[in-house]
Amino acid sequence: EEKLRNDLPVDDLCLSSRAGENGNHELCVIVVPQDAGALAVIQETLPSLIPSSFGQIHVITVQSIPRTPTSKVRRAELKAILQKA
């Protein structure tokens, strides 16, 4: 996550997974883009930063990533966001 956060035009980022249609887990990159043009750069750059063995990468944009006061991701809230996406 730290490498992606440093290499992509994002204000915040985290990785998670969700169950795909075939029951396998799919990688999700949840991002808070720096600006409107950042999403295209993120989608273009991600394949060079994440090995192809992870399969299809889903980029999900959000206004903010739910975090605790100590900056840990609130995974339960994040999973709810992923289910809606």
Side-chain angles (χ1 to χ4, degrees), residues 59-80:
V59 179
I60 299 167
T61 59
V62 294
Q63 296 281 336
S64 66
I65 294 174
R67 293 189 178 272
T68 67
T70 59
S71 296
K72 294 186 184 228
V73 175
R74 293 180 184 202
R75 297 282 172 188
E77 291 177 38
L78 188 64
K79 289 289 183 185

Side-chain angles (χ1 to χ4, degrees), residues 4 10-11 16 18 23 25 32 35 40 43 46 48 50 58 64 76:
L4 295 177
V10 297
D11 289 332
S16 191
R18 67 179 179 192
H25 284 272
V32 179
D35 55 49
Q43 291 175 324
L46 268 177
S48 67
I50 297 176
H58 300 278
S64 66

Side-chain angles (χ1 to χ4, degrees), residues 1-71:
E1 288 181 352
E2 185 175 337
K3 171 136 177 68
L4 295 177
R5 203 175 290 115
N6 291 333
D7 291 352
L8 297 171
V10 297
D11 289 332
D12 199 3
L13 173 144
C14 72
L15 299 176
S16 191
S17 66
R18 67 179 179 192
E21 292 179 12
N22 59 5
N24 293 333
H25 284 272
E26 301 174 337
L27 178 64
C28 296
V29 181
I30 300 91
V31 297
V32 179
Q34 288 177 347
D35 55 49
L39 185 57
V41 174
I42 292 166
Q43 291 175 324
E44 181 180 306
T45 308
L46 268 177
S48 67
L49 299 173
I50 297 176
S52 61
S53 60
F54 280 92
Q56 184 177 4
I57 302 166
H58 300 278
V59 179
I60 299 167
T61 59
V62 294
Q63 296 281 336
S64 66
I65 294 174
R67 293 189 178 272
T68 67
T70 59
S71 296

